């Protein structure tokens, strides 16, 4: 059968809709009335049809390649973009297309199986880990992609840890099964050993001979949940859009037995962590037969264990060969959570300490209710500065509805009031204006010039602002009058937990080529730090240099190229350096005797230096000074013994 997504022409309403952009769609377009009827029925909660997901992985595991196939099969694009050709939808920056890697996360919205997916494609390079961090902050679920040849890699573990910190349910896609050396069984063992996760293998290759996936054997897979053969007919349709499902029966011989064995292992793994599936398995209808276990019950058990972080479903495929992506999309709908399935977001009261805003496990946290009827609570997780539109603030709405032209209170910035002049739905770099952003959804707000990454935006009449409305009104008056208030103000109102930004590691000096270039350089640096909170600007008092600090050499190279090539800034960048400190690891001593002939008399001076580690390593974290206790008279006494100085 042919799997397609359904999209809807029209604008965003208060309920989720699938939008048709200026791109040409392959999927069928249904009427706006039918769509509104679908999502306003009393039997269906609209939020249950929403998935806020991210794609996370080590660099070059196939994140963008997989995303491009998703968009094509959902009907969003006519042709499939290629990373090597530089024509992908998600990697739109010149630096991304030139280097063939994802540098900044990109968001896109599309439909699949009558659901709306907000997808964020994240970078895989360690230098851009802050992009993954702030995406994780607003996601409900994630797809972790693993290279079938390399298995679990260094950055795979890093992004997995980030997802675990935010308690994000994940499914795993073992990609590149078409490459020489691909070993999905080793990848599954890596998942257990290196990620400390419980993998639930949902599909296996159908081997027609040996253990290698070559030629036609790559097209046929076994779905152990539905006991079906899944065939990707890439010979007739090279795009992989045509997928056939055939029911497996006992007459299929080795294939049926292989699927039955894999299903038995899946049921046994679920039985260890899910009591309900045990009760069904031992019931009279099933009577302990793995093959008689209803597919619906098995899928429900997989979903329960995934949402409770007890296990992660594993699927296989080869995205570059257009194989395995449609079952992955189905798994996103079946096993990853809707906003209503997630725990309520944590928030802090105004009385809480400001330094606790980035700690998701704070004991003094409260919950922000996911309720469309409540007053607005939104979180700004990303800012992009556009030359024509100005700051574009990406937000996730947690309570209420964000309407166009609405006045917002930035509680993190002390109650600054700003107006949302326009609302956009982003399709990578292509925006579409919408009238509102509904509860549980992700969108972009224009007109917020003082909002930064990690800020909480509130409705002016939110209950937590009742005691601080006067402060907000004063700041709003200054803003409307064109007065810039740069003084840091204490946070007011309800505060959602912020984002942890790691400290910079590399730095380099940057200076304008001429006095006329100083102002454009400062504006460019301000915009870059607004977009990327992991960038830091400092001034060295000794050298008089402006220092740009970042997460790594590639990070600073990308920033330099954007400023010189894209922004046309006339500036010079110094050599990159690594910022680090050293301390003594163990005690050591050294002795030196200095002798000099003065007035035909030999005078000797001796010094012994002892260096020992400080008990508390943090005691010298911000100081490079040492104290040396040198006696007033240091030299040889009358008896010839040496005086001693100890460091």
């Amino acid at each position: 059968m042919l799997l397609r997504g359904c999209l809807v022409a029209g604008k965003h309403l208060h309920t989720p809709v699938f939008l048709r952009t200026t791109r040409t769609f392959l999927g069928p377009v249904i009427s706006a009335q039918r769509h509104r009827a679908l999502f306003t029925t009393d039997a269906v909660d609209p939020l249950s049809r929403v998935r806020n997901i991210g794609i996370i992985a080590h660099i070059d595991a196939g994140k963008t390649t997989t995303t491009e196939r998703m968009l094509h099969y959902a009907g969003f694009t006519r042709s499939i973009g290629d990373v090597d050709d530089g024509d992908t939808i998600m990697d739109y920056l010149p630096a991304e297309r030139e280097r063939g890697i994802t540098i900044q996360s990109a968001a896109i919205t599309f439909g699949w199986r009558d659901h709306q997916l907000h997808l964020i494609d994240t970078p895989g390079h360690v230098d851009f880990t802050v992009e993954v961090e702030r995406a994780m902050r607003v996601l409900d679920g994630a797809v972790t992609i693993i290279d079938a040849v390399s298995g679990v890699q260094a950055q795979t573990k890093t992004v997995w840890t980030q997802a675990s910190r935010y308690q994000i349910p994940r499914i795993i896609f073992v990609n590149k099964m078409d490459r020489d050396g691909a070993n999905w069984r080793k990848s599954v063992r890596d998942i257990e050993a290196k990620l400390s996760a419980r993998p639930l293998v949902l599909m296996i290759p159908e081997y027609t001979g040996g253990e290698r996936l070559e030629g036609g054997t790559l097209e046929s897979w076994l779905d152990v949940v539905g006991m079906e053969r899944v065939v990707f007919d890439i010979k007739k349709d090279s795009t992989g859009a045509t997928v056939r499902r055939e029911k497996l029966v006992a007459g299929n011989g080795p294939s049926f037995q292989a699927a039955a064995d894999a299903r038995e292992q899946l049921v046994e793994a679920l039985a260890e962590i899910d009591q309900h599936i045990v009760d069904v398995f031992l019931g009279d209808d099933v009577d302990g037969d793995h093959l008689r276990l209803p597919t619906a019950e098995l899928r429900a058990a997989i979903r329960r264990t995934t949402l409770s972080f007890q296990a992660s479903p594993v699927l296989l495929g080869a995205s570059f060969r257009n194989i395995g992506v449609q079952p992955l999309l189905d798994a996103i709908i079946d096993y990853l959570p809707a906003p209503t399935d997630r725990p309520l977001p944590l928030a802090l009261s105004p009385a809480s300490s400001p330094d606790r805003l980035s700690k998701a496990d704070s004991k003094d946290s409260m919950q922000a209710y996911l309720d469309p009827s409540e007053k607005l609570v939104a979180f700004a997780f990303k800012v992009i500065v556009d030359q024509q539109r100005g700051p574009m603030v990406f937000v996730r709405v947690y309570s209420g509805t964000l309407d166009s032209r609405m006045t917002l209170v930035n509680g993190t910035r002390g109650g600054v009031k700003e107006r949302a002049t326009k609302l956009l739905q982003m399709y990578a770099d292509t925006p579409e204006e919408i009238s509102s952003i509904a509860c549980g959804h992700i969108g972009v707000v224009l007109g917020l010039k003082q909002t930064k990454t990690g800020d909480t935006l509130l409705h002016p009449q939110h209950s937590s602002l009742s005691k601080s409305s006067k402060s907000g009104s004063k700041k709003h008056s200054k803003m409307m009058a064109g007065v810039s208030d740069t003084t840091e103000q204490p946070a007011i109102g309800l505060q959602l937990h912020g984002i942890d930004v790691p400290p910079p590691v590399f730095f380099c000096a940057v200076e304008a080529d001429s006095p006329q270039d100083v102002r454009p350089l400062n504006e460019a640096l301000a915009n870059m730090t607004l977009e990327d909170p992991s960038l830091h600007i400092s001034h060295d008092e000794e050298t008089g240099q402006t220092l740009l600090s970042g997460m790594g050499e590639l990070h600073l190279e990308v920033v330099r190229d954007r400023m010189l090539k894209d922004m046309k800034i006339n500036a010079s960048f110094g050599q990159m350096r690594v910022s680090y400190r050293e301390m003594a690891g163990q005690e050591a001593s050294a002795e030196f005797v200095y002798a000099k002939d003065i007035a035909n008399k030999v005078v000797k001076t001796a010094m012994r230096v002892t260096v020992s580690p400080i008990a508390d390593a943090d005691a010298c974290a911000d100081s490079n000074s040492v104290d040396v206790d040198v006696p007033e008279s240091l030299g040889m006494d009358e008896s010839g013994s040496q005086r001693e100085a100890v460091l």
Side-chain angles (χ1 to χ4, degrees), residues 329-359:
L329 282 167
D330 290 335
I332 291 172
I333 302 300
D334 293 336
Y335 307 127
L336 288 184
T340 50
D341 298 320
R342 296 282 289 143
L344 295 177
L346 296 177
L348 295 174
S349 64
S352 301
S353 175
D355 60 0
R356 301 176 68 89
L357 290 178
S358 63
K359 300 179 181 178

mmCIF file of all heavy atoms in Angstrom, residues 329-359:
data_model
loop_
_atom_site.group_PDB
_atom_site.id
_atom_site.type_symbol
_atom_site.label_atom_id
_atom_site.label_comp_id
_atom_site.label_asym_id
_atom_site.label_seq_id
_atom_site.Cartn_x
_atom_site.Cartn_y
_atom_site.Cartn_z
ATOM 1 N N LEU A 329 8.121 6.505 10.804
ATOM 2 C CA LEU A 329 7.065 7.497 10.999
ATOM 3 C C LEU A 329 5.872 6.893 11.737
ATOM 4 O O LEU A 329 5.280 7.540 12.620
ATOM 5 C CB LEU A 329 6.631 8.055 9.647
ATOM 6 C CG LEU A 329 7.552 9.097 9.002
ATOM 7 C CD1 LEU A 329 7.155 9.315 7.547
ATOM 8 C CD2 LEU A 329 7.516 10.406 9.766
ATOM 9 N N ASP A 330 5.513 5.661 11.382
ATOM 10 C CA ASP A 330 4.421 4.999 12.092
ATOM 11 C C ASP A 330 4.760 4.808 13.569
ATOM 12 O O ASP A 330 3.901 4.973 14.449
ATOM 13 C CB ASP A 330 4.126 3.642 11.448
ATOM 14 C CG ASP A 330 3.498 3.778 10.066
ATOM 15 O OD1 ASP A 330 2.874 4.820 9.797
ATOM 16 O OD2 ASP A 330 3.641 2.840 9.251
ATOM 17 N N ALA A 331 6.019 4.461 13.842
ATOM 18 C CA ALA A 331 6.438 4.261 15.234
ATOM 19 C C ALA A 331 6.391 5.564 16.024
ATOM 20 O O ALA A 331 6.084 5.568 17.225
ATOM 21 C CB ALA A 331 7.846 3.664 15.270
ATOM 22 N N ILE A 332 6.694 6.686 15.368
ATOM 23 C CA ILE A 332 6.599 7.991 16.036
ATOM 24 C C ILE A 332 5.168 8.242 16.491
ATOM 25 O O ILE A 332 4.923 8.709 17.616
ATOM 26 C CB ILE A 332 7.091 9.100 15.098
ATOM 27 C CG1 ILE A 332 8.601 8.998 14.885
ATOM 28 C CG2 ILE A 332 6.725 10.480 15.648
ATOM 29 C CD1 ILE A 332 9.142 9.935 13.828
ATOM 30 N N ILE A 333 4.208 7.929 15.637
ATOM 31 C CA ILE A 333 2.803 8.118 15.992
ATOM 32 C C ILE A 333 2.375 7.121 17.074
ATOM 33 O O ILE A 333 1.664 7.478 18.016
ATOM 34 C CB ILE A 333 1.911 7.963 14.749
ATOM 35 C CG1 ILE A 333 2.306 8.969 13.660
ATOM 36 C CG2 ILE A 333 0.437 8.116 15.113
ATOM 37 C CD1 ILE A 333 2.207 10.409 14.058
ATOM 38 N N ASP A 334 2.810 5.871 16.947
ATOM 39 C CA ASP A 334 2.330 4.813 17.830
ATOM 40 C C ASP A 334 2.972 4.843 19.213
ATOM 41 O O ASP A 334 2.309 4.517 20.208
ATOM 42 C CB ASP A 334 2.579 3.442 17.194
ATOM 43 C CG ASP A 334 1.734 3.215 15.951
ATOM 44 O OD1 ASP A 334 0.673 3.860 15.841
ATOM 45 O OD2 ASP A 334 2.140 2.409 15.090
ATOM 46 N N TYR A 335 4.259 5.235 19.295
ATOM 47 C CA TYR A 335 4.994 5.011 20.538
ATOM 48 C C TYR A 335 5.521 6.272 21.217
ATOM 49 O O TYR A 335 5.825 6.227 22.414
ATOM 50 C CB TYR A 335 6.167 4.061 20.277
ATOM 51 C CG TYR A 335 5.758 2.778 19.610
ATOM 52 C CD1 TYR A 335 6.371 2.337 18.440
ATOM 53 C CD2 TYR A 335 4.724 1.996 20.129
ATOM 54 C CE1 TYR A 335 5.990 1.157 17.814
ATOM 55 C CE2 TYR A 335 4.332 0.815 19.511
ATOM 56 C CZ TYR A 335 4.966 0.408 18.354
ATOM 57 O OH TYR A 335 4.578 -0.753 17.735
ATOM 58 N N LEU A 336 5.656 7.381 20.499
ATOM 59 C CA LEU A 336 6.135 8.597 21.145
ATOM 60 C C LEU A 336 4.951 9.409 21.669
ATOM 61 O O LEU A 336 3.849 9.336 21.131
ATOM 62 C CB LEU A 336 6.966 9.431 20.171
ATOM 63 C CG LEU A 336 8.349 8.850 19.834
ATOM 64 C CD1 LEU A 336 9.124 9.803 18.937
ATOM 65 C CD2 LEU A 336 9.151 8.525 21.088
ATOM 66 N N PRO A 337 5.178 10.207 22.716
ATOM 67 C CA PRO A 337 4.052 10.846 23.420
ATOM 68 C C PRO A 337 3.508 12.080 22.721
ATOM 69 O O PRO A 337 4.218 12.790 21.994
ATOM 70 C CB PRO A 337 4.679 11.224 24.765
ATOM 71 C CG PRO A 337 6.116 11.453 24.450
ATOM 72 C CD PRO A 337 6.464 10.460 23.383
ATOM 73 N N ALA A 338 2.238 12.338 22.946
ATOM 74 C CA ALA A 338 1.623 13.628 22.658
ATOM 75 C C ALA A 338 1.897 14.558 23.840
ATOM 76 O O ALA A 338 2.320 14.106 24.918
ATOM 77 C CB ALA A 338 0.120 13.454 22.439
ATOM 78 N N PRO A 339 1.692 15.861 23.690
ATOM 79 C CA PRO A 339 1.895 16.763 24.831
ATOM 80 C C PRO A 339 1.090 16.366 26.064
ATOM 81 O O PRO A 339 1.551 16.568 27.200
ATOM 82 C CB PRO A 339 1.441 18.123 24.280
ATOM 83 C CG PRO A 339 1.690 18.029 22.812
ATOM 84 C CD PRO A 339 1.387 16.606 22.450
ATOM 85 N N THR A 340 -0.093 15.768 25.860
ATOM 86 C CA THR A 340 -0.916 15.368 26.998
ATOM 87 C C THR A 340 -0.377 14.129 27.713
ATOM 88 O O THR A 340 -0.796 13.836 28.831
ATOM 89 C CB THR A 340 -2.349 15.077 26.517
ATOM 90 O OG1 THR A 340 -2.295 14.179 25.393
ATOM 91 C CG2 THR A 340 -3.043 16.356 26.100
ATOM 92 N N ASP A 341 0.546 13.397 27.074
ATOM 93 C CA ASP A 341 1.132 12.211 27.699
ATOM 94 C C ASP A 341 2.353 12.529 28.540
ATOM 95 O O ASP A 341 2.866 11.651 29.240
ATOM 96 C CB ASP A 341 1.540 11.196 26.612
ATOM 97 C CG ASP A 341 0.356 10.702 25.811
ATOM 98 O OD1 ASP A 341 -0.700 10.475 26.424
ATOM 99 O OD2 ASP A 341 0.492 10.550 24.576
ATOM 100 N N ARG A 342 2.830 13.753 28.484
ATOM 101 C CA ARG A 342 4.053 14.126 29.185
ATOM 102 C C ARG A 342 3.742 14.655 30.574
ATOM 103 O O ARG A 342 2.658 15.182 30.832
ATOM 104 C CB ARG A 342 4.795 15.202 28.383
ATOM 105 C CG ARG A 342 5.283 14.735 27.037
ATOM 106 C CD ARG A 342 6.538 13.907 27.189
ATOM 107 N NE ARG A 342 7.637 14.771 27.575
ATOM 108 C CZ ARG A 342 8.594 14.428 28.424
ATOM 109 N NH1 ARG A 342 8.579 13.251 28.993
ATOM 110 N NH2 ARG A 342 9.571 15.268 28.730
ATOM 111 N N PRO A 343 4.687 14.533 31.512
ATOM 112 C CA PRO A 343 4.507 15.174 32.818
ATOM 113 C C PRO A 343 4.359 16.681 32.663
ATOM 114 O O PRO A 343 4.890 17.278 31.712
ATOM 115 C CB PRO A 343 5.801 14.816 33.562
ATOM 116 C CG PRO A 343 6.358 13.636 32.845
ATOM 117 C CD PRO A 343 5.948 13.772 31.420
ATOM 118 N N LEU A 344 3.639 17.291 33.564
ATOM 119 C CA LEU A 344 3.460 18.739 33.491
ATOM 120 C C LEU A 344 4.805 19.433 33.627
ATOM 121 O O LEU A 344 5.662 19.014 34.411
ATOM 122 C CB LEU A 344 2.512 19.202 34.602
ATOM 123 C CG LEU A 344 1.070 18.703 34.499
ATOM 124 C CD1 LEU A 344 0.261 19.167 35.700
ATOM 125 C CD2 LEU A 344 0.419 19.184 33.210
ATOM 126 N N PRO A 345 5.039 20.490 32.851
ATOM 127 C CA PRO A 345 6.333 21.190 32.922
ATOM 128 C C PRO A 345 6.550 21.822 34.289
ATOM 129 O O PRO A 345 5.620 22.342 34.911
ATOM 130 C CB PRO A 345 6.216 22.253 31.824
ATOM 131 C CG PRO A 345 4.752 22.433 31.615
ATOM 132 C CD PRO A 345 4.127 21.104 31.878
ATOM 133 N N LEU A 346 7.797 21.778 34.731
ATOM 134 C CA LEU A 346 8.145 22.338 36.025
ATOM 135 C C LEU A 346 8.400 23.842 35.901
ATOM 136 O O LEU A 346 8.898 24.326 34.892
ATOM 137 C CB LEU A 346 9.383 21.653 36.591
ATOM 138 C CG LEU A 346 9.241 20.166 36.913
ATOM 139 C CD1 LEU A 346 10.571 19.602 37.385
ATOM 140 C CD2 LEU A 346 8.170 19.939 37.966
ATOM 141 N N ALA A 347 8.053 24.563 36.940
ATOM 142 C CA ALA A 347 8.264 26.007 36.963
ATOM 143 C C ALA A 347 8.645 26.412 38.374
ATOM 144 O O ALA A 347 8.485 25.648 39.341
ATOM 145 C CB ALA A 347 6.997 26.743 36.513
ATOM 146 N N LEU A 348 9.163 27.626 38.509
ATOM 147 C CA LEU A 348 9.571 28.165 39.794
ATOM 148 C C LEU A 348 8.758 29.415 40.104
ATOM 149 O O LEU A 348 8.408 30.181 39.218
ATOM 150 C CB LEU A 348 11.056 28.522 39.787
ATOM 151 C CG LEU A 348 12.031 27.356 39.620
ATOM 152 C CD1 LEU A 348 13.446 27.881 39.497
ATOM 153 C CD2 LEU A 348 11.925 26.394 40.777
ATOM 154 N N SER A 349 8.499 29.582 41.368
ATOM 155 C CA SER A 349 7.797 30.782 41.803
ATOM 156 C C SER A 349 8.770 31.952 41.836
ATOM 157 O O SER A 349 9.985 31.764 41.854
ATOM 158 C CB SER A 349 7.202 30.556 43.199
ATOM 159 O OG SER A 349 8.246 30.351 44.138
ATOM 160 N N PRO A 350 8.273 33.197 41.859
ATOM 161 C CA PRO A 350 9.171 34.354 41.900
ATOM 162 C C PRO A 350 10.078 34.366 43.116
ATOM 163 O O PRO A 350 11.144 34.979 43.084
ATOM 164 C CB PRO A 350 8.200 35.548 41.923
ATOM 165 C CG PRO A 350 6.933 35.026 41.346
ATOM 166 C CD PRO A 350 6.864 33.593 41.748
ATOM 167 N N ALA A 351 9.700 33.685 44.194
ATOM 168 C CA ALA A 351 10.504 33.691 45.407
ATOM 169 C C ALA A 351 11.702 32.762 45.318
ATOM 170 O O ALA A 351 12.586 32.794 46.161
ATOM 171 C CB ALA A 351 9.644 33.292 46.612
ATOM 172 N N SER A 352 11.776 31.918 44.295
ATOM 173 C CA SER A 352 12.866 30.970 44.169
ATOM 174 C C SER A 352 14.147 31.676 43.756
ATOM 175 O O SER A 352 14.134 32.737 43.148
ATOM 176 C CB SER A 352 12.520 29.889 43.142
ATOM 177 O OG SER A 352 11.345 29.213 43.525
ATOM 178 N N SER A 353 15.265 31.058 44.060
ATOM 179 C CA SER A 353 16.562 31.620 43.712
ATOM 180 C C SER A 353 16.749 31.611 42.204
ATOM 181 O O SER A 353 16.482 30.606 41.559
ATOM 182 C CB SER A 353 17.684 30.810 44.382
ATOM 183 O OG SER A 353 18.947 31.277 43.970
ATOM 184 N N PRO A 354 17.230 32.696 41.592
ATOM 185 C CA PRO A 354 17.380 32.742 40.136
ATOM 186 C C PRO A 354 18.332 31.692 39.595
ATOM 187 O O PRO A 354 18.184 31.252 38.474
ATOM 188 C CB PRO A 354 17.925 34.160 39.884
ATOM 189 C CG PRO A 354 17.548 34.946 41.087
ATOM 190 C CD PRO A 354 17.558 33.982 42.226
ATOM 191 N N ASP A 355 19.365 31.285 40.391
ATOM 192 C CA ASP A 355 20.320 30.318 39.867
ATOM 193 C C ASP A 355 19.759 28.910 39.802
ATOM 194 O O ASP A 355 20.447 27.987 39.383
ATOM 195 C CB ASP A 355 21.605 30.323 40.707
ATOM 196 C CG ASP A 355 21.349 29.959 42.166
ATOM 197 O OD1 ASP A 355 20.179 29.700 42.514
ATOM 198 O OD2 ASP A 355 22.318 29.940 42.948
ATOM 199 N N ARG A 356 18.505 28.715 40.198
ATOM 200 C CA ARG A 356 17.898 27.393 40.122
ATOM 201 C C ARG A 356 17.025 27.238 38.884
ATOM 202 O O ARG A 356 16.435 26.181 38.674
ATOM 203 C CB ARG A 356 17.061 27.113 41.373
ATOM 204 C CG ARG A 356 17.850 27.174 42.669
ATOM 205 C CD ARG A 356 16.932 26.979 43.872
ATOM 206 N NE ARG A 356 16.393 25.631 43.926
ATOM 207 C CZ ARG A 356 16.976 24.610 44.534
ATOM 208 N NH1 ARG A 356 18.151 24.780 45.103
ATOM 209 N NH2 ARG A 356 16.418 23.411 44.556
ATOM 210 N N LEU A 357 16.969 28.284 38.061
ATOM 211 C CA LEU A 357 16.054 28.251 36.921
ATOM 212 C C LEU A 357 16.469 27.253 35.858
ATOM 213 O O LEU A 357 15.663 26.867 35.025
ATOM 214 C CB LEU A 357 15.943 29.642 36.297
ATOM 215 C CG LEU A 357 15.209 30.676 37.140
ATOM 216 C CD1 LEU A 357 15.214 32.013 36.422
ATOM 217 C CD2 LEU A 357 13.793 30.244 37.449
ATOM 218 N N SER A 358 17.716 26.832 35.837
ATOM 219 C CA SER A 358 18.162 25.888 34.819
ATOM 220 C C SER A 358 18.257 24.468 35.343
ATOM 221 O O SER A 358 18.733 23.590 34.653
ATOM 222 C CB SER A 358 19.533 26.311 34.282
ATOM 223 O OG SER A 358 20.498 26.284 35.302
ATOM 224 N N LYS A 359 17.809 24.219 36.567
ATOM 225 C CA LYS A 359 17.911 22.889 37.150
ATOM 226 C C LYS A 359 16.535 22.234 37.163
ATOM 227 O O LYS A 359 15.640 22.643 37.891
ATOM 228 C CB LYS A 359 18.468 22.968 38.575
ATOM 229 C CG LYS A 359 19.870 23.594 38.616
ATOM 230 C CD LYS A 359 20.382 23.689 40.037
ATOM 231 C CE LYS A 359 21.766 24.344 40.070
ATOM 232 N NZ LYS A 359 22.272 24.492 41.445
#
